[in-house]
Amino acid sequence: MNPFTYERASDASAAIELAKGNAAARYLGGGTNLVDLMRETVERPEMLVDVTGLPRGIEPRSDGGVLIGSAATNTALAADGHVRRHYPLLARAILAGASAQIRNMATVGGNILQRTRCRYFYDNAAACNKRQPGSGCDARDGFNRYHAILGASPACVATHPSDMCVALAALDATVHLEGPAGPRSIPLIDLHRLPGDRPDIETELKPGELITAVEIPPLPFARRSTYRKVRDRASYAFALVSVAAAIDLDNDGTVRDVRLALGGVAHKPWRASAAEAALKGRPANPESFRAAAEAELAAATGLRDNAFKIELAKRTIVAVLGELTGDDA
């Protein structure tokens, strides 16, 4: 591990001032990903700015939404009563991720910014355009069981690992930021980038910007929501495919509104907009669910080891919507 300095910030302004002008500074939340990357020398910061002193409150808003401080732990968020009642898919997504020990340490801000678990990204002897731009991508012809089937590029087929972000994408969450140029907000679905020819640039964050909070708008029908994660073993494994879903039905069983997002399939949490459009106004039955899944996965492309994920994603969408509507396929 390379030498670095450590500073602890009392608030967002202090953190930004400490990191200002230092491209090799990194903000440190729970450290559950960053410390791993430092140990593998993928990350080599000159300075760590500890931001665990930032707000960690989980505050219900008067309109029914919720504001979540970036230093809130994953455990606290999953256990929060307002979240469990109004956004059960979010609590279930968090509980589907990692171990209890890691959830106790991991923060909301750090979870959003965690980096891919692609084995070639962690291996300094492998070619990886995300770690070293222009070096190539060994994952394309290597072991690519966990890699992307949507939105990938010739430069990178890595996936985003967060379960929590998939739920936040389905819930239209907004990320609040502060940086040297002041505060701003960005929809979570626009925060992460697809790889294109620069997979090393993973988010729309500007230099020195810091996540201070996440806000979820009111969505009454999210009480009927869930998260399903398909993985190789029952615990402590990343998603092959995951689905976050909430659905609202008319009295005649027609889909009035729906939210769908996928995990384990792309470089970012994947909002399933094509499936949502295909479902609205249609009867809530297995035929409609399958047609929506087909629409969403129409552009999917598989590699040697992960082509099975295309059908797996379709079947998981159908199964989750069936579970929510009582019309199991």
Side-chain angles (χ1 to χ4, degrees), residues 58 68-70 72-78 83 87 89-98 103 106-114 160-173 175 188 191-192 211 213-214 216 227 229 238-239 242 244 261-264 269-270:
I58 302 167
I68 305 159
S70 64
T73 66
N74 284 193
T75 294
L77 185 57
V83 170
Y87 310 102
L89 77 170
L90 177 56
R92 290 172 183 165
I94 293 170
L95 292 175
R103 293 195 297 269
T107 63
V108 168
N111 190 319
I112 291 171
L113 295 180
Q114 65 178 303
H160 194 270
S162 171
D163 294 291
M164 184 189 77
C165 283
V166 181
L168 292 176
L171 291 169
D172 292 326
V175 179
L188 178 123
L191 178 69
H192 301 96
I211 294 175
V214 177
I216 305 175
Y227 182 79
K229 179 178 182 178
F238 293 98
S242 67
L262 308 180
W270 188 266

Side-chain angles (χ1 to χ4, degrees), residues 170-301:
L171 291 169
D172 292 326
T174 295
V175 179
H176 296 297
L177 307 169
E178 284 194 34
R184 70 182 178 110
S185 299
I186 183 171
L188 178 123
I189 199 63
D190 295 331
L191 178 69
H192 301 96
R193 294 163 48 105
L194 290 177
D197 59 359
R198 289 299 306 270
D200 56 311
I201 304 174
E202 297 174 325
T203 71
E204 299 293 342
L205 286 177
K206 297 175 181 175
E209 279 192 322
L210 173 66
I211 294 175
T212 57
V214 177
E215 186 164 7
I216 305 175
L219 187 66
F221 71 82
R223 285 175 177 264
R224 183 189 295 199
S225 68
T226 195
Y227 182 79
R228 185 177 295 190
K229 179 178 182 178
V230 183
R231 46 190 160 177
D232 279 333
R233 62 175 187 264
S235 67
Y236 209 67
F238 293 98
L240 292 167
V241 167
S242 67
V243 174
I247 194 163
D248 188 24
L249 302 180
D250 281 324
N251 291 334
D252 64 357
T254 300
V255 178
R256 181 187 296 128
D257 206 349
V258 62
R259 299 286 188 277
L260 276 173
L262 308 180
V265 299
H267 201 253
K268 58 184 290 182
W270 188 266
R271 181 67 179 265
S273 301
E276 290 178 355
L279 278 168
K280 290 177 185 176
R282 305 294 299 173
N285 60 36
E287 291 74 25
S288 297
F289 302 157
R290 180 72 191 190
E294 294 280 0
E296 191 60 50
L297 276 299
T301 301

Side-chain angles (χ1 to χ4, degrees), residues 8-23:
R8 183 174 173 82
S10 57
D11 55 31
S13 296
I16 293 162
E17 188 61 29
L18 284 165
K20 191 174 181 180
N22 186 348

